Amino acid sequence: MKHVSNCWIAFSGGLDSSVLLSAAATVREHLPGALYAIHLDHGLHPDACEWAAHCQSQCDLLAVPFTVRRLHLRPLPGESIEAVAREARYRAFSSLLAPGDLLLTAHNRDDQAETLLLALLRGSGAQGLAAMPFAAPLGTGRLVRPLLDVTRESLVAYARSRGLAWIEDPSNRETAMDRNYLRLRVLPLLRARWPAFATTLSRSASHCAEAAQLTDRLAAQTLAGLDGERPGTIGIPALLRIDRPLQKAALRLWLRRRDFALPDTRQIDRILDEVLPARPDANPLVAWSGCEIRRYRQDLFALPPLPDPPLATLEIDWQVGGDVAAMLGLPKGLGRLEWHAASDRVDPTDGQASELGQQSLIVRFGLTGQDCQPLRADHRRPLKKVFQEAGIPVWLRPYVPLVFKGASLIAVAGVCRCRSPDSATDPLGEFRWVGHPWEEFGLLMQERRRV
């Protein structure tokens, strides 16, 4: 059955969203699908339950189905409450929308002016100065801001003419928050001197949005020719051949497509000045919240921050075909270790499975000074050499499970099997490390290795 797109109102209970809900309810027969309201309780104010009750009563009056989601935010010391709350809101909204659904928010022209001024004060580029678009993708649906060209003064007039009741959040009067400081202290002065300043700034944001679209179009064309050897990477030699402004635009688009927060000017300059010209065997790192930029050989990687490497020596009674990640005590999200027979994943009732399953194995991480003779090789070689031949980045090696039988290294998981003193009796197959965060780069895929 084809999904009928529904319209969700982001309803805080404040003036702006109250106007949006009222206006949408009056034209609901012209909207695609049904009209709903969603209220997010951030868990940051003692009156939050009363606000949710107010929103419920207003929706009941308008016969609009109402939903509450509680976020239970706990910002860490030093974190911006505004930023944490904003990110949590959009995560919640994104998870709410079914394919094709619309989320309507009540951002208005004055909000747009504030957003542009904040972006200017933070030194943002064209993307930041474009401020808020009228519409944008959000999860599997779309975010729409139908009041973006309406002034706050007009919203107040509409609310009073309709006799609307709304919530006044006392935190909106706290000038310690940057947006509130602008709204309460700075913008009244600007409005007194330039009454049409909000309209003018909104126009400037539109010009910046057009410039950002052109920049993105050029960056996308450029990025199409910058593929590295690994999936999802950028080839450093190709990136070095283009002009610096285009390098920055391509990097920002690459990171946005991979859903990373964008670096500031200092960080992107470090990528260009420290990571790109580094020796191919160097291990440079540029990191910011939620992202690490690393290189290996001629490929540039963008990945989430690496967890602490596993340090334990783990003894296991191998259960063939099972997911032993929990038994190994691997950090959450590090994947699982599997045994695969020469033809396919082994059947636990098979004779080879029984032979392997009778052995007690040890899994270690990050060992140096080991050597291995891959099954297809005619001599032993240092483990470092095995990693190099398999193309495993230096920064990934401490996480690779090393499987021992007694004192003998019998497998580098996902890379190769190693000959052991009694390897003539070893079953044919391989240990694979799957479901790890680096799989998307084509790393540690046994069938592609030649070691």
Side-chain angles (χ1 to χ4, degrees), residues 8 57 84 162 185 195 230 343 426 441:
W8 292 84
S57 66
V84 170
R162 297 297 180 100
R185 298 285 183 86
R230 310 276 187 173
S343 58
D426 286 349
F441 297 112

Side-chain angles (χ1 to χ4, degrees), residues 216-243:
D216 273 356
R217 189 176 304 169
L218 179 58
Q221 293 171 353
T222 303
L223 199 55
L226 298 181
D227 290 342
E229 294 185 6
R230 310 276 187 173
T233 65
I234 284 182
I236 292 174
L239 187 61
L240 286 171
R241 286 194 291 269
I242 62 178
D243 293 339

Side-chain angles (χ1 to χ4, degrees), residues 99-148:
D101 279 2
L102 303 179
L103 176 75
L104 309 185
T105 66
H107 295 108
N108 57 63
R109 185 181 293 178
D110 293 72
D111 294 324
Q112 183 78 307
E114 294 164 8
T115 300
L116 177 58
L117 286 173
L118 286 170
L120 282 169
L121 292 170
R122 292 166 182 159
S124 299
Q127 288 288 344
L129 298 180
M132 296 181 290
F134 177 82
L138 181 62
T140 58
R142 286 185 69 76
L143 167 67
V144 180
R145 299 180 174 97
L147 304 182
L148 200 56

